[in-house]
């Protein structure tokens, strides 16, 4: 039988007595009900007292004592709004305000109505006997507002009114602790106990302060004294249980929490501690229930009630974080720190929340404050190490983790030390620590996963599989880890085993998204598009708002060469997604591939704002700005990317190369500086340094940078390639060719074959270039880039028939590629082939927003005498890309042909002043002469 069931006969009896007496209401009966209510109140039977007081008021609505006591009972029972109504009714009935002032002030504090308290609760008209209480309440209200100066003043006035009262000391001692005056807080709490040795609140306050000062033994003794005076004091009972848990005396803590249940005390702090104990026992279901009860109580309270209540805010934050509700935990912690910026536990916890969310800029100052307060706290060292790891400052991170390990020796600190050592290239030490952490805690999936991946990278497939299986043996029903095992099997070449693993997961849970997505990757590799589409589509029906499944469908349709369907899925995924930019990036890539540059640019702008702290969207936006000829905005975007990359050398090099493409030489130099600051001998950073100096035109500095690169990485592809590039830029074509051939010998590729070709052409040996590139293309007949390069070189060499054949080969592999169609159409026009129009129209069809494709079609039509049709396309191309001199020249030519000489003259004049000036040609000079320019 539940407690409520046990009380039901008694409560029903009270209600029945009330109903039977209604017809015979008398002051005598009211008095009897009141006396019974008073006795119940004194015994702690708040529900019984409430019912009897309501009975009293039904008998005699004007009994002032009943209204007043009802307010006190409801206040004590946590029914704050009901208590407020009762006190207001008492005042309305004629109770002197001095009788209600103190409990009403306590009520306002609990309701968070601090301004109302300060406005209405003053000393005016109040008897001397309650001045101390009023001043103390005002001090507490000021403190909760963050006005420490006025709080201290109110407490000082209270102490002056009655130096022997413990009340202001009990309220002020925690405030002193918050202000960093620990010694004064300790002394004040001790004084309060001395003045009021029978006051449980005084002992509770002393216990709280001693606990904060890490005097656990003294804190425990103080709370036990408080409970001896008042066994039903909830705050002391919870504090006592918390201390016992910290000491590892969990069985005793359970007894404390059980007593609170017996007393029918539903307190979120107690539920949090109950959840903590359950999780330590491995009872995840009970823990989740308890944490859920804690957040249910806290979340139900009005914001103004919990705003100044630090224990409730911490209970809510801790419980929400344990349940994975980071946003709610963050809200409660930020609320707490708004009124008490020095709350150590809240500082540390909020820093952890920020780190989990990768909000490192907000985590850093919190951790710095915490380190100043407690320089030897291993938890803070651990978090600060995690922060430095995230910022790629691996040496500093490693030092912090080493200190955390020395202080605490926890397996998590050992694990993170291993991660930092791996990042520093200390593979042996890093692996040793990861193995040590995993051995100490075999269920540590984070350590196990990293070990598995490292073994895999080392080619130790057997050990990788063994470690993955070891993780699962500790939690055989963990579908995430079973999915991980399937991935490992796939990576070790066991595709059949991987497929079986994913299928087994989906038998257990048909809606387990990661396994379905991984299975679809296998399907796509084997061109089983229909199976993958069917499976993913069913998942979408069951979860229409799942951005990951929609993204996977988009990838699938791209692989299946269905771009329209792919775009529909990707758009929906991007709309729903909040943390992963992949769908948006793929949309940009798809739009750019279709030459819809305007749409690609607008999509990239939106994505860069949505993911302002991620690198990939900024780089995508910068590339599109460059494609549009907007170098200034490209460089500005790269500045934002540089801040995001911080000390990641690989990312800084990537940004630096893009800076050079956008004309940002100083920006690229800064990228080099940041990269080399993080890793002084970083290969690609040293290579980029040469390129930067070359762009600056300082030959001596180029040679010095090249010397540094070759000394640090002699014989490397990067060193050979960079030296060849320098020789090429200096017109030393034989040396450049030798360098490129050395690179090709080490890393054969189409890109390197093209470099050799360029050096040969520059050296005047175009026939040799054609022969070598043709041989490479024949060796790699499905390499589209090789065929495209061959076609271009053939055009350059005047081998138009050969170029035509090469373009046909490319289009057989990529029939809808706009860039190839544009070049092919231009070639056909050059050959006088009427099919040029069809090819140009196809290019526009597959890239409807592409200015180059539109210009190409318009120019071919004009050259073929269809000026009116061509003019329409050329006007559109000019509007899409007004910075292209060639487009404006083509438009001027068409306008002149149409007799619009004035407009043609304006366009032709602009063609030579826009950023991408018109290329010189005989036709250009002829038109200039015709228009008088």
């Amino acid at each position: 039988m539940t407690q409520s069931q046990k009380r039901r006969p008694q409560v029903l009896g009270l209600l029945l007595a009330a109903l039977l007496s209604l017809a015979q209401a008398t002051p005598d009966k009211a008095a009897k009900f009141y006396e019974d209510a008073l006795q119940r109140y004194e015994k702690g039977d708040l529900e019984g007292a409430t019912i009897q007081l309501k009975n009293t008021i039904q008998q005699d609505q004007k009994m002032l004592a009943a209204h007043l006591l009802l307010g006190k009972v409801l206040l004590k029972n946590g029914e704050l709004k009901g208590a407020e109504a009762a006190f207001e009714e008492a005042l309305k009935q004629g109770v002197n305000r001095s009788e209600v002032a103190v409990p009403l002030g306590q009520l306002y504090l609990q309701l968070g109505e601090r301004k109302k308290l300060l406005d209405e609760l003053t000393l005016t008209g109040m008897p001397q006997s309650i001045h101390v209480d009023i001043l103390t309440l005002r001090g507490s209200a000021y403190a909760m507002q963050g006005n420490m100066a006025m709080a201290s003043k109110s407490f000082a006035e209270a102490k002056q009114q009655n130096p022997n009262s413990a009340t202001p000391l009990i309220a002020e001692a925690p405030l002193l602790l918050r202000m960093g005056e620990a010694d004064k807080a300790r002394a004040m709490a001790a004084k309060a106990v001395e003045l009021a040795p029978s006051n449980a609140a005084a002992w509770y306050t002393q216990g709280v302060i001693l606990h904060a000062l890490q005097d656990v033994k003294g804190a425990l003794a103080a709370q036990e004294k408080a409970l001896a005076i008042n066994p039903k004091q909830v705050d002391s009972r919870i504090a006592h249980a918390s201390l016992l848990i910290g000491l590892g005396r969990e069985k005793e803590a359970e007894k404390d929490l059980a007593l609170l249940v017996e007393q029918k005390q539903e307190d979120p702090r107690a539920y949090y501690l109950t959840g903590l104990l359950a999780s330590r026992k491995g009872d995840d279901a009970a823990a989740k229930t308890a944490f859920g009860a804690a957040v249910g109580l806290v979340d139900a309270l009005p914001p103004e009630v919990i705003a100044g209540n630090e224990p409730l805010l911490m209970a809510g934050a801790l419980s929400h974080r344990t349940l994975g509700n980071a946003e709610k935990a963050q809200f409660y912690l930020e609320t707490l720190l708004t009124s008490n910026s020095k709350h150590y536990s809240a500082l540390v916890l909020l820093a952890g929340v920020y780190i989990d969310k990768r909000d490192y800029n907000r985590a850093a100052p919190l951790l710095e404050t915490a380190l100043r307060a407690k320089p030897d706290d291993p938890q803070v060292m651990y978090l600060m190490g995690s922060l430095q790891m995230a910022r790629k400052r691996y040496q500093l991170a490693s030092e912090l983790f080493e200190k955390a390990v020395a202080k605490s020796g926890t397996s998590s600190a050992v694990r993170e030390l291993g991660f930092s050592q791996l990042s520093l290239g200390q593979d042996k030490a890093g692996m040793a620590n990861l193995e040590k952490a995993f051995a100490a805690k075999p269920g540590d999936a984070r350590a196990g996963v990293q070990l598995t991946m490292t073994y895999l990278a080392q080619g130790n497939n057997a050990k990788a599989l063994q470690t993955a299986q070891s993780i699962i043996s500790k939690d055989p029903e963990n579908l995430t880890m079973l999915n991980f095992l399937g991935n490992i099997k796939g990576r070790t070449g066991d595709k059949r085993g991987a497929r079986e693993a994913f299928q087994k997961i989906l038998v257990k849970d048909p809606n387990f998204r990661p396994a379905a997505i991984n299975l679809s990757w296998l399907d796509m590799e084997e061109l089983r598009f229909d199976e993958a589409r069917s499976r993913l589509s069913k998942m979408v029906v069951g979860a229409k708002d799942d951005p990951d499944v929609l993204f996977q469908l988009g990838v699938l349709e791209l692989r299946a060469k269905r771009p329209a369907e792919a775009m529909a899925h990707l758009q929906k995924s991007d709309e729903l997604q909040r943390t992963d930019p992949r769908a948006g990036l793929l949309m940009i890539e798809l739009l750019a591939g279709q030459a819809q540059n305007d749409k690609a640019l607008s999509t990239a702008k939106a994505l860069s704002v949505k993911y302002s702290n991620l690198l990939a969207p900024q780089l995508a936006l910068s590339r599109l700005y460059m494609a549009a000829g907007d170098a200034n905005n490209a460089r500005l975007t790269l500045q934002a990317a540089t801040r995001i990359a911080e000390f990641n050398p690989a990312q800084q090099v990537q940004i630096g190369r893009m800076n050079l493409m956008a004309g940002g030489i100083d920006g690229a130099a800064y990228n080099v500086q940041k990269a080399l600051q993080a890793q002084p001998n970083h290969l690609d950073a040293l290579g980029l340094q040469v390129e930067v100096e070359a762009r600056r035109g300082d030959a001596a500095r180029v040679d010095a940078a090249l010397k540094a690169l070759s000394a640090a990485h002699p014989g490397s592809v990067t060193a050979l390639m960079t030296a060849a590039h320098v020789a090429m830029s200096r017109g030393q074509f034989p040396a450049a060719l030798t360098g490129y051939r050395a690179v090709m010998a080490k890393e054969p590729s189409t890109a390197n074959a093209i470099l050799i070709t360029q050096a040969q052409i520059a050296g005047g040996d175009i026939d040799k270039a054609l022969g070598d590139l043709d041989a490479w293309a024949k060796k790699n007949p499905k390499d589209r880039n090789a065929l495209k390069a061959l076609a271009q070189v053939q055009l350059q060499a005047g081998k138009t028939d050969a170029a035509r054949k090469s373009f046909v080969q490319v289009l057989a592999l990529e029939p809808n590629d706009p860039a190839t169609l544009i070049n092919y159409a231009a070639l056909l026009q050059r050959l006088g082939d009427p099919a040029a129009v069809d090819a140009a129209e196809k290019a526009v069809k597959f890239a409807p927003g592409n200015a180059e494709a539109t210009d190409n079609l318009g120019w071919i039509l004009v050259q073929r005498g269809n000026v009116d049709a061509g003019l329409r396309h050329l006007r559109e191309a000019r509007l899409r890309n007004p910075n292209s001199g060639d487009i404006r020249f083509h438009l001027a030519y068409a306008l002149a042909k149409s007799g619009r000489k004035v407009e043609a003259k304006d366009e032709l004049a602009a063609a030579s002043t826009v950023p991408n000036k018109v290329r010189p040609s005989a036709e250009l000079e002829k038109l200039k002469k015709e228009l008088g320019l």
Side-chain angles (χ1 to χ4, degrees):
M1 183 181 291
T2 65
Q3 292 294 327
S4 61
Q5 288 172 329
K6 290 177 182 178
R7 294 194 304 270
R8 193 171 295 158
Q10 179 187 25
V11 172
L12 288 173
L14 291 169
L15 288 171
L16 185 58
L19 290 169
L20 290 173
S21 66
L22 280 176
Q24 306 172 20
T26 67
D28 289 341
K29 286 183 179 180
K32 286 179 182 179
F33 281 133
Y34 177 79
E35 290 302 323
D36 186 41
L38 186 58
Q39 290 177 25
R40 290 175 183 277
Y41 172 66
E42 290 169 349
K43 291 177 182 177
D45 180 9
L46 301 179
E47 288 186 29
T50 301
I51 291 171
Q52 290 297 65
L53 285 168
K54 290 180 179 178
N55 290 339
T56 303
I57 293 168
Q58 284 178 337
Q59 296 289 328
D60 184 357
Q61 292 187 358
K62 296 190 179 297
M63 184 184 282
L64 303 184
H67 289 292
L68 180 59
L69 183 58
L70 180 59
K72 292 178 180 179
V73 171
L74 293 175
L75 175 61
K76 194 168 184 179
N77 205 31
E79 298 178 48
L80 304 183
K81 286 299 182 181
E84 185 175 22
F87 287 136
E88 288 176 353
E89 182 61 27
L91 290 170
K92 183 179 177 182
Q93 292 285 352
V95 173
N96 190 283
R97 193 164 190 84
S98 64
E99 294 294 325
V100 181
V102 173
L104 198 55
Q106 294 167 345
L107 173 69
Y108 288 155
L109 278 186
Q110 291 188 53
L111 286 171
E113 296 181 358
R114 299 177 285 278
K115 185 177 185 302
K116 191 172 183 180
L117 184 152
L118 293 169
D119 289 344
E120 296 185 8
L121 190 61
T122 66
L123 298 182
T124 305
M126 295 295 168
Q128 186 74 29
S129 59
I130 61 169
H131 279 197
V132 170
D133 291 327
I134 291 173
L135 287 166
T136 300
L137 286 167
R138 289 179 64 81
S140 297
Y142 279 125
M144 291 171 73
Q145 283 186 335
N147 190 340
M148 301 307 176
M150 288 302 295
S152 297
K153 182 180 178 182
S154 289
F155 289 136
E157 289 178 14
K159 287 182 284 187
Q160 187 177 2
Q161 288 271 347
N162 185 359
N164 295 320
S165 173
T167 301
L169 306 181
I170 293 169
E172 188 178 13
L175 175 63
L176 291 171
L177 188 68
R178 284 169 54 182
M179 295 170 68
E181 299 184 38
D183 291 338
K184 285 185 179 180
R186 186 200 298 264
M188 188 169 286
K191 181 68 174 176
V193 167
E194 179 187 333
L195 291 172
S198 299
N199 187 324
W203 287 104
Y204 165 74
T205 300
Q206 185 179 55
V208 169
I209 288 171
L210 292 176
H211 190 188
L213 298 176
Q214 300 182 0
D215 181 358
V216 177
K217 184 178 179 181
L220 191 64
Q223 297 301 354
E224 287 173 350
K225 184 68 176 176
L227 289 171
I229 296 168
N230 182 5
K232 293 186 177 182
Q233 186 179 22
V234 175
D235 290 339
S236 288
R237 186 66 65 189
I238 292 171
H240 190 251
S242 179
L243 286 162
L244 291 172
I245 291 172
L247 291 168
R249 293 160 60 178
E250 296 177 357
K251 290 289 185 185
E252 296 173 71
E254 287 175 358
K255 291 179 181 178
D256 274 332
L257 297 172
L259 281 172
L260 290 170
V261 173
E262 286 178 19
Q263 295 168 15
K264 301 182 284 294
Q265 294 291 343
E266 291 195 328
D267 191 292
R269 297 168 297 170
Y271 278 123
Y272 169 73
L273 294 177
T274 301
L276 185 62
L277 289 172
S279 64
R280 289 188 179 184
K281 290 180 179 179
D283 190 345
D284 293 337
K288 187 175 181 180
T289 299
F291 292 134
V295 300
L297 288 172
V298 178
D299 292 351
L301 294 170
E304 62 272 13
V305 172
I306 61 172
N309 194 317
E310 294 182 4
L312 285 182
L313 288 167
M314 281 300 293
L318 286 164
S319 299
H320 270 300
R321 193 182 186 207
T322 307
L323 290 170
N325 306 329
E327 292 297 329
K328 201 69 176 177
Q330 179 180 329
F331 171 75
Y332 283 142
L333 291 167
E334 288 175 344
T335 301
L336 193 161
L337 289 169
T338 298
S339 59
N340 181 5
S341 60
K342 295 182 180 179
H343 194 290
Y344 185 80
S345 298
L347 279 172
V348 176
L349 187 60
L350 183 57
V353 171
Y354 284 151
I355 287 174
D356 288 346
K357 295 177 67 177
R358 300 181 181 180
D359 193 348
Y360 307 121
N361 291 335
R362 296 174 77 181
L366 298 182
L367 290 174
E368 289 163 2
T369 301
L371 270 180
R372 285 194 294 271
K374 294 184 181 180
D376 296 328
D377 186 337
Q379 174 65 12
V380 177
M381 291 177 190
Y382 174 85
L383 289 173
M384 185 63 92
S386 301
L387 174 67
Q388 301 306 335
M389 276 289 287
R391 289 180 166 176
K392 316 299 182 187
R393 298 169 181 170
Y394 303 124
Q395 186 61 51
L396 183 54
S398 186
E399 292 169 4
L400 286 160
F401 288 135
E402 282 181 355
K403 290 179 182 177
V405 168
K407 288 286 181 183
S408 68
T410 61
S411 63
S412 57
V414 174
R415 176 194 67 210
E416 297 304 316
L417 174 59
F419 284 141
S420 67
Q421 289 167 329
L422 287 176
S423 300
L424 286 168
Q426 300 169 8
D427 294 349
K428 188 175 180 180
M431 286 297 287
N433 275 315
L434 282 178
E435 287 169 344
K436 180 180 177 182
F438 191 63
K441 193 176 179 182
D444 186 344
R446 182 168 156 77
V449 167
Q450 181 60 52
L451 279 172
T452 302
M453 299 306 294
T454 305
Y455 290 141
L456 204 62
Q458 293 172 347
N460 194 342
N461 292 350
K463 204 157 187 179
L465 278 168
Q466 179 187 348
T467 306
Q469 287 165 342
S470 177
I471 301 170
I472 291 167
S473 69
K474 299 298 176 185
D475 190 2
E477 296 303 313
N478 188 323
L479 298 185
T480 299
M481 286 298 102
L482 287 169
N483 183 63
F484 175 67
L485 177 62
N487 274 320
I488 297 304
K489 286 184 176 182
R491 292 192 183 196
T492 55
D494 183 7
K495 301 293 184 184
R496 181 178 177 182
R499 181 174 288 276
E500 288 175 354
F502 299 139
Q503 286 173 338
K504 284 179 181 178
I505 293 170
L506 292 173
V507 169
K508 292 184 177 186
D509 182 357
N511 296 316
F512 190 73
R513 180 183 62 190
I517 289 173
N518 282 329
L519 195 53
S520 74
W521 284 116
L522 288 175
D523 288 336
M524 281 188 274
E525 286 180 18
E526 298 169 12
L527 305 181
R528 296 159 72 168
F529 298 121
D530 290 340
E531 289 180 42
R533 185 180 296 114
S534 175
R535 185 184 307 105
L536 293 171
S537 296
K538 287 177 183 176
M539 292 193 75
V540 169
V541 171
K544 293 182 180 178
D545 294 338
D546 191 322
D548 293 329
V549 176
L550 288 164
F551 170 76
Q552 194 68 11
L553 272 168
V555 174
L556 168 69
E557 299 300 2
L558 275 179
R559 296 278 184 93
K561 301 188 183 305
R562 295 172 50 171
E565 290 81 355
M567 180 61 77
H569 290 309
L570 293 171
Q571 283 178 327
K572 183 66 174 174
S573 175
D574 181 58
E575 288 170 8
L576 295 168
Q577 184 61 259
R578 293 292 176 269
T579 59
D580 186 346
R582 288 181 303 161
L585 291 169
L586 204 52
M587 284 169 58
I588 294 167
E589 185 180 327
L590 180 55
L591 289 167
Q594 295 174 336
Q596 297 186 53
N597 295 333
D598 289 346
K599 286 185 179 179
L601 183 59
S602 63
T603 303
K605 287 178 182 177
L607 200 70
S608 71
V609 172
K610 185 176 180 180
Y611 298 102
S612 59
N613 62 329
L614 296 184
L615 184 64
Q618 313 308 318
L619 297 185
L621 177 59
S622 182
R623 289 189 191 98
L624 287 167
Y625 274 133
M626 281 190 268
D630 190 348
N632 185 54
N633 270 322
R635 291 192 295 270
L636 289 173
T637 306
L638 290 173
Q639 287 179 13
T642 299
R643 289 191 293 272
I644 294 169
E646 288 194 336
F647 290 96
N648 186 309
Q651 291 178 355
Q652 289 292 353
V653 169
Q654 183 184 11
I655 298 165
R657 294 198 186 286
M658 291 181 67
N659 255 319
L660 285 183
M661 291 170 62
I665 300 175
D666 290 340
Y670 182 69
N671 295 131
V672 169
Q673 178 188 331
K674 293 277 283 187
L676 293 177
Q677 189 177 346
Q679 197 171 324
N681 287 324
H682 191 274
L683 173 63
D684 291 333
L686 289 170
L688 180 59
Q689 189 171 39
V690 178
E691 295 178 47
V692 169
E693 299 305 342
R695 289 288 292 274
R696 283 176 166 167
D698 190 327
R701 294 183 71 169
V702 169
D703 290 338
L706 188 57
K707 184 178 180 181
L709 169 63
S710 299
H713 304 280
S716 67
V717 168
T718 300
L720 292 169
M721 180 80 78
T722 305
H725 287 338
V726 170
M728 191 79 172
S729 69
R730 291 173 173 173
Q732 300 166 354
F733 304 125
L737 184 59
T738 300
Y740 291 139
R741 288 195 186 282
V743 171
M744 187 70 168
K746 285 178 176 284
E747 289 185 359
S749 70
T750 295
N752 291 332
I754 292 171
L755 287 172
I756 291 172
T757 300
Q758 290 172 342
Q760 290 169 325
I761 293 172
D765 199 349
I766 194 165
D767 290 335
K768 178 64 174 169
L770 268 174
D772 287 351
L773 192 56
D774 186 41
W776 177 261
K778 286 176 179 175
K779 188 178 177 182
N780 301 275
K782 293 187 178 180
D783 189 325
R784 302 169 192 180
N785 290 328
L787 283 170
K788 289 177 183 178
L790 177 62
Q792 292 296 335
V793 174
Q794 288 167 333
L795 266 180
Q796 188 176 347
K799 312 281 187 181
T800 53
D801 289 338
R804 182 172 186 164
K805 289 179 182 177
S806 296
F807 276 123
V808 169
Q809 283 182 270
V810 174
L811 288 170
L813 296 170
E814 285 185 345
N816 302 333
D817 179 49
T820 304
L821 285 166
I822 291 170
N823 290 326
Y824 184 50
L827 171 61
L828 292 176
Q829 174 63 19
R830 181 174 168 182
L831 293 172
D833 190 328
V837 176
D838 290 337
E841 286 176 341
K842 275 188 181 179
V844 171
K845 176 184 176 182
F846 294 118
N850 183 280
E852 185 184 0
T854 306
D855 169 67
N856 186 55
L857 174 59
W859 184 230
I860 289 173
L861 289 170
V862 169
Q863 288 178 307
R864 290 192 166 274
N866 193 347
V867 177
D868 290 341
L871 189 58
R872 174 172 57 85
H873 292 294
L874 291 171
R875 285 190 186 280
E876 180 184 335
R878 180 251 188 254
L879 290 172
R880 289 188 180 279
N881 187 6
N883 291 322
S884 169
D886 287 342
I887 291 176
R888 299 190 82 147
F889 160 63
H890 293 158
L891 177 58
Y893 185 94
L895 289 167
K897 286 282 184 186
S898 298
R900 300 181 177 89
K901 302 288 185 180
V902 175
E903 191 179 352
K905 188 173 183 179
D906 290 341
E907 288 297 329
L908 190 61
S912 299
T913 59
V914 292
N916 298 318
K917 294 181 176 64
V918 60
R919 288 171 293 182
S921 68
E923 285 179 318
L924 173 66
E925 295 306 317
K926 182 180 178 181
L927 185 60
K928 279 184 176 180
K929 187 175 181 181
E930 179 185 334
L931 297 174
L933 286 175

